[in-house]
Amino acid sequence: MSQRQLAMVMDLNKCIGCQTCTVSCKTQWTNRNGREYMYWNNVETYPGVGYPKKWQELGGGFDSAGDLQPGRVPSIEGNYGVPWDYNHDELASGAEFKPNIEPTWGPNWDEDEGAGDFPQDNYFFYIPRICNHCTNPGCLSACPRDAIFKRDQDGVVLVDLDRCQGYRYCIAGCPYKKIYFNPKISKSEKCILCFPRVEQGLPPACAQQCVGRIRFVGFLDDEEGQVHKLVHKYKVALPLRSDKGTEPNVYYVPPTEAPPKFDAHGKIIEGSNRIPTEELEKLFGSEVHQAIKTVKTEMQKRKDTGKSELMDLLIAYNHEDMFRLDSGYYKEYAKKHSLTPKKLLDERYSAGKNSNTMKFFMPSNAKGGDS
Amino acid sequence: MKNLLKVLITLSFIGSSLIASNSIKAMKIPGNVSDIGPTSKAWLSTSYQDVIVYPQTTIKLNDLDANAMNADNSAKKLRVKAITDGKNISFLIKWKDESKSIQEGYSTTSYGDGFAVQFPTSYKDSKKLPYIGMGSVGRSVVVHLQKATGFTYEPNGNNDVYHQVNENNQNAFHEDIQKYRIKVKETAISDYQRVFISEGFRSMTQIKDGSESSKMQMVYKNGYWKGSLSLPLKSSYLNLNKGAFPIAFAIWDGDKKNRDGLKLLSSWIGVKVVGKSGGEKLIDLLNEKSKGDVNNGEKLALENCAACHRYKNVNMAPDFMAPNLSNIGGYSTKEYLMESIVEPSAVVVAGYNRNAHKNFTWYDVDEKGIRTSTMPSYEWLDEKSRNDLVVYLQSLKAEVK
């Protein structure tokens, strides 16, 4: 258990599957040797096999008694897909454009396929996935070298590459398969929740770059924060596959809004929803029913009265409100533990429970001066 | 006839516990042994000693596929030679492995064969040697490890981030990309040889400052691996410059996804330096033949151990409740078994991460980090019973096939 927990909320109603988050993570971190196949952040289509292929069936996590479950280590050929490239260099000399290997599988191979029959009831939605920085991480429990640790200050789960010997039991232990083996350095690597950015007042790259503004970042115990409100106050953001017992800290607002189904004559079936709630229940547990209800009720409330705090949150007006990184807390923590506090690169997202910050931009309706 | 068979079986059962590991004789030879590989002619001057390695079954790791592949592992015979020049000592280890496995290529499921040699940092009290599984608190070991790998790279090697970035992210083409590739290759490490200091499973830490120098090599030929280790008799961690010292071996089969605890390991074996006096007591202890009533021991184990420990076909205890004893006889000394029965907290096996099976904690930890075993002492057993129990425990081990 860490002192506090930094968490992320993703609103699946707004994810358009553009992979900007994936690309931002790729260019920020995973463009190094051996990380070609790694997607610390990926966006997969549901229903679909996901990345790595069939990750939900590869074991790991805990059973109800709290025992770590055995799992499988996915292979690049079978589960991730061998990364390929094209012969751009040779095109100038008249060569045929071709991949260096015959691609047979890769991330998003089944993108947008979904399930159901077109046009009656076909459907799909996107799930962006990063490391869940679990409160009870399966990877940490599986490591025989105690090379994985959960940071005390914010609960970020990290691999100590000095201790890691590349045994890969962590991969078997993670039910989300969000820890990867780097074959070039023979060590395991994973999403670091951009902690070097967070410590300097910048939100994780995937969250800042998100064009749909679906990602909220903040401390779970920060009652003023939008993350806290979505997870604890309105309970509309739910952890993914919480039945795996790792207590994940990335929360999802389930996709509540989908077009209605068509009948055999192509007519709209009023009141129907293409996304079966049973499917959402598989991912987010039985709490999903209440979450959907709350979102729907608040939406109606907004229509009727024009007011709804939840709708305002989900509209995501300002990055400053969506990202509350509590820089004052990091500064205090560093002082207390004789670490060097990081200089802030950006002060816009530094608000939080332990931080007194000034707003950079005045709201447009605010009056200047004391006239 | 039936009775005779019974007697024979009983005899062979007792017999198996009587076979003690014979010590390895280190011959002194002229010249320098600090730099000899497995194919050196220097090895011709001495003969092999058999050492049996047993499957590690004390804890079960969490890789489904690997566990299935290793479920029926038998013990294996290693052949070991040792020579010394008075300043350095070298070991040659030969073992059969039908498949040569090297951890290489762009793969997450490739594992290399390998071997390790373990020494205690202190063996003054030969009755209290470190725990065989990478030492124990206050009884540290040095482990020399060699694995068969292709090229690997240090993370952030020499802080040269530029040459770690994938070539597709470089603004380089044609000759420039060729040059870049050469530069990257120059940063590669081709030899996966490591030295660790450890006070028990989980605590193993790599010695990176070069203070523990050694040379290891492994070569594969005709279905056999031959591995060599040369190291100085005296270093900052080890003092092997005595008449005798303990040693232990482990091997990994990459083809069966072996790594870490999925391995075969030996018990502590005595190395006798020929022509050097001292160490007789240690050799005697490690070679000591236990005598006792193995049937009574089995009965006592069922009465006293089986509620918590699993072993062989006795699986009444919940999984993960306590160390599995199925191969305890293979990799334990008599003294260790006796000590563990009487004083369970003397050596506490760090076992699973305490979070992995939280209903079955093998030990408690106080605020100072001191571990106390949850096993009660069996000091109340009379001496004969204790001895019979040890004789039975020593018989728990896989057969060599």
Side-chain angles (χ1 to χ4, degrees), chain A residues 211-222:
Chain A
V211 296
R213 299 163 81 91
I214 79 159
R215 301 194 186 209
F216 303 79
V217 183
F219 285 91
L220 272 180
D221 64 356
D222 180 2

Side-chain angles (χ1 to χ4, degrees), chain B residues 47-210:
Chain B
S47 54
Y48 280 115
Q49 172 65 47
D50 288 349
V51 170
I52 312 294
V53 284
Y54 298 89
Q56 187 287 120
T57 48
T58 302
I59 69 159
K60 191 158 81 186
L61 289 137
N62 65 320
D63 184 329
L64 261 181
D65 300 323
N67 286 349
M69 285 169 147
N70 292 277
D72 302 316
N73 275 354
S74 47
K76 210 166 200 168
K77 196 197 282 177
L78 303 186
R79 315 207 71 202
V80 181
K81 284 182 180 187
I83 47 177
T84 173
D85 59 14
K87 273 191 172 163
N88 307 288
I89 190 156
S90 287
F91 298 92
L92 178 71
I93 301 113
K94 186 183 175 188
W95 73 98
K96 196 173 181 182
D97 186 342
E98 274 98 11
S99 55
K100 179 186 182 184
S101 324
I102 296 175
Q103 185 189 313
E104 61 184 349
Y106 203 69
S107 168
T108 55
T109 45
S110 160
Y111 302 92
D113 295 330
F115 73 104
V117 185
Q118 176 176 279
F119 302 95
T121 56
S122 167
Y123 43 98
K124 233 181 214 165
D125 186 348
S126 41
K127 286 191 172 183
K128 293 193 170 180
L129 292 178
Y131 176 58
I132 194 72
M134 287 159 275
S136 40
V137 175
R139 305 181 194 179
S140 52
V141 294
V142 168
V143 180
H144 293 265
L145 169 74
Q146 174 75 56
K147 284 249 167 149
T149 61
F151 290 112
T152 55
Y153 298 82
E154 271 294 319
N156 286 350
N158 307 319
N159 290 319
D160 181 0
V161 174
Y162 182 79
H163 285 104
Q164 290 177 57
V165 173
N166 189 276
E167 63 179 49
N168 296 336
N169 284 79
Q170 296 298 326
N171 261 331
F173 302 96
H174 302 293
E175 307 91 73
D176 291 345
I177 202 81
Q178 297 297 342
K179 276 186 206 156
Y180 179 77
R181 281 178 195 152
I182 291 166
K183 275 277 185 195
V184 169
K185 194 123 201 195
E186 279 170 6
T187 64
I189 310 152
S190 58
D191 185 15
Y192 196 98
Q193 184 197 326
R194 289 178 184 184
V195 192
F196 300 93
I197 179 91
S198 177
E199 280 204 347
F201 183 69
R202 316 199 77 82
S203 74
M204 200 160 82
T205 301
Q206 196 178 347
I207 301 171
K208 285 184 167 175
D209 60 2

Side-chain angles (χ1 to χ4, degrees), chain B residues 17-32:
Chain B
S17 63
L18 288 178
I19 300 169
S21 42
N22 290 316
S23 45
I24 299 161
K25 287 169 191 74
M27 298 292 287
K28 191 164 179 190
I29 64 157
N32 187 346

Side-chain angles (χ1 to χ4, degrees), chain A residues 296-313:
Chain A
K296 297 262 187 213
T297 315
E298 287 290 319
M299 203 180 261
Q300 193 56 45
K301 198 173 129 196
R302 177 65 156 233
K303 278 181 190 162
D304 297 343
T305 67
K307 285 199 179 95
S308 163
E309 190 196 20
L310 179 60
M311 287 303 119
D312 278 341
L313 293 179

Side-chain angles (χ1 to χ4, degrees), chain B residues 6 79 213 234 251 288 317 320 324 346 358 362 389:
Chain B
K6 216 176 195 175
R79 315 207 71 202
S213 70
K234 233 178 155 169
I251 57 163
E288 198 177 311
F320 314 114
N324 186 306
K358 35 187 169 288
W362 294 7
L389 193 52

Side-chain angles (χ1 to χ4, degrees), chain A residues 31-33 36 65 67-68 71-72 74 136 141 143-146 162-163 165 167-169 184 186, chain B residues 62 64-65 103 106 108 110 152-153 156 164 166 192 194 202 204-205 208 259-260 353 355-357 359:
Chain A
N31 60 352
R32 290 195 186 178
N33 279 328
E36 294 83 359
D67 280 320
L68 182 70
R72 296 199 150 88
N136 181 26
S141 288
C143 178
R145 292 293 316 275
D146 290 350
D162 250 2
R163 293 198 63 75
Q165 291 294 322
Y167 297 144
R168 292 160 255 182
Y169 293 111
K184 290 276 170 73
S186 189
Chain B
N62 65 320
L64 261 181
D65 300 323
Q103 185 189 313
Y106 203 69
T108 55
S110 160
T152 55
Y153 298 82
N156 286 350
Q164 290 177 57
N166 189 276
Y192 196 98
R194 289 178 184 184
R202 316 199 77 82
M204 200 160 82
T205 301
K208 285 184 167 175
R259 76 276 194 191
D260 181 48
N353 182 302
N355 204 42
H357 304 287
N359 296 328

Side-chain angles (χ1 to χ4, degrees), chain B residues 227-273:
Chain B
S228 68
L229 163 69
S230 304
L231 75 165
L233 282 167
K234 233 178 155 169
S235 67
S236 43
Y237 290 98
L238 295 177
N239 183 5
L240 309 176
N241 203 5
K242 303 269 175 71
F245 57 85
I247 193 170
F249 301 92
I251 57 163
W252 287 265
D253 184 354
D255 198 43
K256 287 172 132 181
K257 295 182 189 281
N258 278 13
R259 76 276 194 191
D260 181 48
L262 273 174
K263 64 180 173 188
L264 303 178
L265 75 158
S266 77
S267 182
W268 287 115
I269 311 287
V271 177
K272 178 80 192 111
V273 181

